[in-house]
Amino acid sequence: MDKTTSGWVNGFVGVLIFSASLPATRAAVADFDPIFLTGARATIAAFLGLVLLLLFKEKWPSKADLRPLFVTAMGVVVGFPLLTAIALQHITSAHSIVFIGLLPLSTAIFGVLRAGETMRPMFWLFSCLGSALVAGFALTQNLAASFTGDLLMFAAIVVCGLGYAEGAQLSRKLGGWQVICWALVLSLPIMLPLTLFVLPHDWVVIGQPAWIGLTYVSLFSMLIGFIFWYRGLAQGGIAAVGQLQLLQPFFGLILAATLLHEAVGWQMIVVTIAVIGCVFGAKRFAS
């Protein structure tokens, strides 16, 4: 398997894992405070990441690596989880798909700005078309909207795209799993005290779905998914492989309907086919 193909395979696995993140977060914030959830998921993943770094005797990052690691941490460890957790108190996980559809475009833009990638005009055409299809589909579903929730989700998409691009660029030097582990460890001095400060007052009232959601976002969304995702972006190109995120909303909608019993129409199948075409189109014209 060549490097580019390996990048797309790793990226696809990462997208599958991330697809359950918003439904899991939605389940968790039903009983957990969103600030506690953000701190707890990062803290749990950070301790696991620290174990991996010590187990494999990884060298400490250089001073030059600290800035991109900090940007990565602020984007994907703190910013996106916190903003989406708060947003999902105002909107459904299905409605958030409107904004997740814009994440591939955000990632591609920051891939150009931060990593210096150059893409053909046809790539941008397919990328914009795919994002428009996803967002347009979600908007036609008559989903509950909230200005506050929408604003928070938009901010989450911006910081996440930056974190993806910054982390992926650094992954070419440090390695995919090393970047997310170091980013998590770097955020630990902030996230651990925050978690302890906002501990739930009554653990008894927290239901099983919330515990399952916390477990998933801590292990898979915050750590395991990034191991595949950053490796995929580094191997196949940030802007190109980032288009796989166009498929994430549809996987997420299936999970939202199955696990959270949120309404999803049959039109999803038609739009999914069109989006898959956009992904392959973007891949074809990626430089």
Side-chain angles (χ1 to χ4, degrees):
M1 185 184 297
D2 61 60
K3 185 177 180 181
T4 301
T5 302
S6 176
W8 281 83
V9 171
N10 279 293
F12 183 75
V13 174
V15 166
L16 282 177
I17 293 173
F18 290 151
S19 296
S21 296
L22 288 177
T25 300
R26 174 74 171 172
V29 296
D31 292 330
F32 286 118
D33 180 88
I35 297 179
F36 169 79
L37 177 64
T38 302
R41 64 188 283 180
T43 299
I44 294 170
F47 278 115
L48 292 174
L50 182 60
V51 170
L52 287 175
L53 292 168
L54 294 175
L55 184 63
F56 289 96
K57 299 180 181 179
E58 291 293 320
K59 295 181 180 180
W60 287 89
S62 66
K63 290 184 179 180
D65 297 330
L66 292 180
R67 188 199 62 79
L69 277 174
F70 176 79
V71 174
T72 301
M74 290 300 99
V76 303
V77 178
V78 180
F80 185 77
L82 178 60
L83 291 170
T84 54
I86 299 175
L88 286 168
Q89 290 190 316
H90 300 276
I91 59 177
T92 67
S93 63
H95 181 74
S96 67
I97 301 306
V98 175
F99 298 91
I100 295 301
L102 301 176
L103 187 52
L105 189 58
S106 175
T107 304
I109 291 172
F110 282 113
V112 171
L113 295 177
R114 302 299 300 167
E117 296 187 350
T118 56
M119 313 305 293
R120 302 178 190 177
M122 287 299 294
F123 167 85
W124 293 109
L125 176 63
F126 279 109
S127 179
C128 291
L129 179 59
S131 295
L133 282 170
V134 174
F137 166 74
L139 287 171
T140 63
Q141 301 306 295
N142 297 319
L143 303 173
S146 161
F147 177 76
T148 300
D150 289 351
L151 189 63
L152 288 167
M153 280 302 304
F154 181 78
I157 295 308
V158 173
V159 299
C160 189
L162 175 59
Y164 279 171
E166 201 77 33
Q169 185 180 13
L170 191 58
S171 294
R172 294 166 179 166
K173 177 181 178 182
L174 300 182
W177 71 267
Q178 292 92 334
V179 166
I180 188 58
C181 286
W182 283 120
L184 287 164
V185 170
L186 186 64
S187 68
L188 189 57
I190 298 175
M191 305 311 283
L192 177 58
L194 177 65
T195 304
L196 296 176
F197 182 75
V198 292
L199 284 174
H201 297 293
D202 189 356
W203 297 92
V204 178
V205 299
I206 299 172
Q208 185 180 27
W211 283 111
I212 294 174
L214 173 61
T215 301
Y216 189 91
V217 296
S218 300
L219 298 181
F220 292 92
S221 305
M222 202 80 266
L223 181 60
I224 298 175
F226 276 105
I227 294 175
F228 290 98
W229 184 238
Y230 276 147
R231 182 176 177 82
L233 292 176
Q235 290 180 327
I238 298 170
V241 175
Q243 299 310 299
L244 283 169
Q245 295 171 106
L246 289 169
L247 301 176
Q248 180 177 334
F250 299 100
F251 296 143
L253 282 171
I254 292 172
L255 290 171
T258 304
L259 302 179
L260 302 178
H261 307 294
E262 295 180 359
V264 176
W266 62 267
Q267 300 94 332
M268 180 178 66
I269 299 175
V270 177
V271 180
T272 300
I273 294 173
V275 167
I276 291 174
C278 290
V279 172
F280 279 101
K283 181 180 184 296
R284 170 66 177 81
F285 291 101
S287 299

